[in-house]
Structures are given as structure tokens and as C-alpha cells.
Amino acid sequence: LSSTKESVIMKLSTLLLTSVALPATAFVSSRSRLHKPILNPQTRSSFSIHENAFNPIPSTSLSKRQLSTSSIVESVSSIGNSLLSSTGPVPLNLALTLNVFLFTVLRSKLLKMLTPQGMLHACALGSGLWATLGWKGWTLCVAYLFFGSAVTKVKFAEKEKRGIAEGRGGRRGPENVWGSAATALMCAICAARGESFLGISSNLFILGFVASLATKLSDTFASEIGKAYGKTTFLITTLERVEPGTEGAVSAEGTAASVVGGLLVSLYGWSIGMISMKAIPVSVFAAFVATNIESVLGATLQGKKNLEWITNEVVNFINTLIGGALAIAIGRAFLSI
């Protein structure tokens, strides 16, 4: 994003935070001193101007030192700047508070995509992502959720009649949340450890983060579009014709859709400045390769005797792990990041 677009996003989000400033004042008051060292350098000075506003006030002088509305607004604005930071970690308790607020406000919409338990786990995931990668990492995961839920609904009634639709009306539960995004959260945590962690740069971990979610959306697009529109479906290991929805089955329509799914997440990651333009094909390629490996795993391991523990969610985790790791390896070898 250009600096102008990012500035607009920050101002709009700060306005949202300001609108709930008064109910949150008590929370901020008890923790303001803990947060001050973690705030971005550019926001520390503006925050410190108003730090006295949060100091305990003797009852005898309360009438003389009441908090002004402008002081509260400016202090919340400083906290908002920290929450909207894209240059470093955000305090976890601030990220958690904001996620609880957003998930509460959006509860009715989210329950169309998530079960109640799934929403609680998604809130925990969202808090971790905002605390490590800020709003960019959070919105990328939300974009994956919306795209994935939308494609799941394609010809859903028809797929349901054939017995190949996702259960629970396509809503995601806790196992789906972590099967899809555990790899992404691990990459986010590693990226937040500093410029380099385990000999891998922060930018490479961010590329792995984007690629892991691109991989999962690629897999979802391949599966759902293949079941909805696939005319001829083959088992990836033997090329034997099988029914749509069979584990390990692939089709031309689903394969093409998988590229679109990986591209959507990668393009969004680029549009918000998480990855460079030259990293887009790396992310899409890694997602495509990992998705096809996932089909092989589904055909050879999933549902087999003595391998009951290899569930769809386990395969999804392995799938995203391969996609993220492959993107990191390619990026390290060819992108010099």
C-alpha cells in the first residue's frame, strides 16, 4: 500500500478505537505503565505527554484534576498507533482486547462461518496474529477465512445432496481453525522474534506466513470447485477415475481453481506490503505444489487402517507446513531475503 492508503486505514481504525475509549478507560489505566516501553518510538512521546492522566488521583484533589475528554482521546490514539503498528510486535493484552471487541461486534456474521467454539479459537488465533504481525497479519487471515467460506458455499445444496459437502453447513470448528492456521501462527511468532531467528530472516518467515495461508486457500478452492464443477475426476496416484469428493481426487477444474486461490492470498499479502511483487509467484508456486502433495497424502494415508489419527485436519496442517517451508526455501535461494 502507498503511505496515503496506509494513513487512511490507520486514521479510520483509530476512530473506531476512540469510539470505545470511555468503556476501556479503566483497562488502559491499570496497564498504561506496562505498555509504555512496548509502544513504537514515534508514539512514545505523544503518550508520555498524557501519562499523568492515568496516575492515581487523591480524592481530595479529584475535582481539580479530572480527566479531560481530549486527553483520553489522545491517549487512546497513541494506543491505536501501537495497535496499528506494522513495524514490530503489539502488546498481547491490547491485541486480545481489540479482538474480543471485534469478534463481539461481528459475532452474527462470524457465526455463519464458524461454530461458537470455532469462533473462540479464531479469536485466540487472531490475538496471536495481531500481537506478532499487527493488523496486516490479522487481515490476511481474515481474507483467507472469507474467501474460503465463500467458495465452500458454491453449489453447496447440490454437494450436500451428493454427500460431499463440508459438515456443519460449511462452518469451521476449532480443528479447522488450527489445521488451517497453526503453521501461519508459528511463522508469525518466528517473524516477530527479530530481524533473524534460527538463521532465517524475518521477511522469509513472513513469506512463509503468506504462503501457508495461500496453500490452504489453494487446497480449499481445488476441493470445492472440483466437487462443484469437476467433470472428470482422477485419483492423483493412479489416474484412475473416481467420484468427486474422493480423498486424493483431482480434476482440471479444481486444479485451475487452486491456482486462483493461492493467487488471491498472495496478491492481498503484496497489496498490504507483507511481501514484494517478486515473491508473489514464489508463494503461488509453493501453494500449488503443496496442494498436490496434500492430494497424494489424502490418497495414500488418510482414512487408512491403523492411520486413523491422520485426519483431514492433520493433513491440512502438513499441507500448510509444506507450503510455508517450500516458500521460505525458494525465497532464501532465489530472492535474497
Side-chain angles (χ1 to χ4, degrees), residues 132-133 187-197 199-209 274 328 337:
T132 50
L133 294 181
C187 287
I189 292 172
C190 291
R193 293 296 299 269
E195 292 185 4
S196 178
F197 180 63
I200 301 173
S201 72
S202 175
N203 287 334
L204 280 175
F205 279 120
I206 293 174
L207 173 58
F209 169 81
M274 294 198 79
I328 289 174
I337 58 176

Side-chain angles (χ1 to χ4, degrees), residues 13-336:
S13 301
T14 299
L15 181 61
L16 172 65
L17 290 167
T18 301
S19 68
V20 292
L22 292 176
T25 301
F27 174 84
V28 175
S29 175
S30 63
R31 292 163 173 81
S32 60
R33 290 187 180 275
L34 294 177
H35 295 161
K36 185 171 63 173
I38 310 176
L39 291 174
N40 295 325
Q42 61 268 34
T43 64
R44 286 178 185 161
S45 59
S46 60
F47 186 84
S48 62
I49 293 174
H50 306 286
E51 63 182 348
N52 291 331
F54 296 100
N55 289 337
I57 303 175
S59 57
T60 55
S61 58
L62 183 61
S63 61
K64 296 181 181 180
R65 301 181 60 191
Q66 292 181 341
L67 289 174
S68 66
T69 301
S70 61
S71 177
I72 295 175
V73 170
E74 290 183 36
S75 296
V76 172
S77 178
S78 296
I79 296 174
N81 288 334
S82 179
L83 278 170
L84 296 170
S85 168
S86 59
T87 58
V90 172
L92 180 59
N93 46 6
L94 286 180
L96 177 61
T97 300
L98 182 60
N99 271 268
V100 170
F101 170 73
L102 291 173
F103 272 71
T104 300
V105 171
L106 300 173
R107 182 174 181 273
S108 61
K109 294 185 181 295
L110 290 172
L111 284 176
K112 296 178 181 178
M113 298 178 283
L114 298 160
T115 65
Q117 296 82 4
M119 192 173 78
L120 290 175
H121 284 256
C123 184
L125 170 67
S127 300
L129 292 179
W130 204 307
T132 50
L133 294 181
W135 65 268
K136 293 183 177 182
W138 189 88
T139 58
L140 187 77
C141 194
V142 169
Y144 153 74
L145 175 62
F146 275 93
F147 284 133
S149 296
V151 77
T152 299
K153 298 295 184 181
V154 173
K155 288 193 173 184
F156 189 83
E158 182 180 323
K159 288 184 285 189
E160 198 168 35
K161 289 179 182 178
R162 295 160 61 191
I164 57 175
E166 288 291 323
R168 297 174 300 208
R171 295 190 301 164
R172 271 65 173 173
E175 71 282 5
N176 303 117
V177 170
W178 297 113
S180 301
T183 297
L185 182 59
M186 289 191 298
C187 287
I189 292 172
C190 291
R193 293 296 299 269
E195 292 185 4
S196 178
F197 180 63
L198 300 177
I200 301 173
S201 72
S202 175
N203 287 334
L204 280 175
F205 279 120
I206 293 174
L207 173 58
F209 169 81
V210 174
S212 70
L213 291 176
T215 298
K216 188 62 194 77
L217 191 63
S218 175
D219 172 52
T220 303
F221 266 59
S223 176
E224 297 300 332
I225 296 301
K227 288 187 288 187
Y229 296 104
K231 296 178 180 178
T232 305
T233 310
F234 300 92
L235 195 65
I236 192 170
T237 52
T238 64
L239 299 183
E240 175 188 356
R241 290 191 66 170
V242 293
E243 290 295 319
T246 303
E247 292 297 340
V250 296
S251 65
E253 295 82 1
T255 300
S258 72
V259 177
V260 175
L263 184 61
L264 283 173
V265 171
S266 302
L267 283 174
Y268 182 74
W270 165 74
S271 72
I272 58 175
M274 294 198 79
I275 61 174
S276 64
M277 183 174 288
K278 62 184 180 180
I280 294 176
V282 172
S283 177
V284 175
F285 175 76
F288 180 77
V289 171
T291 295
N292 282 281
I293 292 176
E294 190 267 354
S295 295
V296 173
L297 294 176
T300 57
L301 300 178
Q302 192 172 340
K304 304 301 180 182
K305 187 177 179 179
N306 298 324
L307 293 174
E308 291 81 4
W309 62 273
I310 302 183
T311 63
N312 186 59
E313 287 67 41
V314 171
V315 172
N316 283 338
F317 170 69
I318 297 172
N319 179 31
T320 58
L321 191 63
I322 293 172
L326 182 58
I328 289 174
I330 296 174
R332 189 169 191 175
F334 297 103
L335 298 184
S336 301

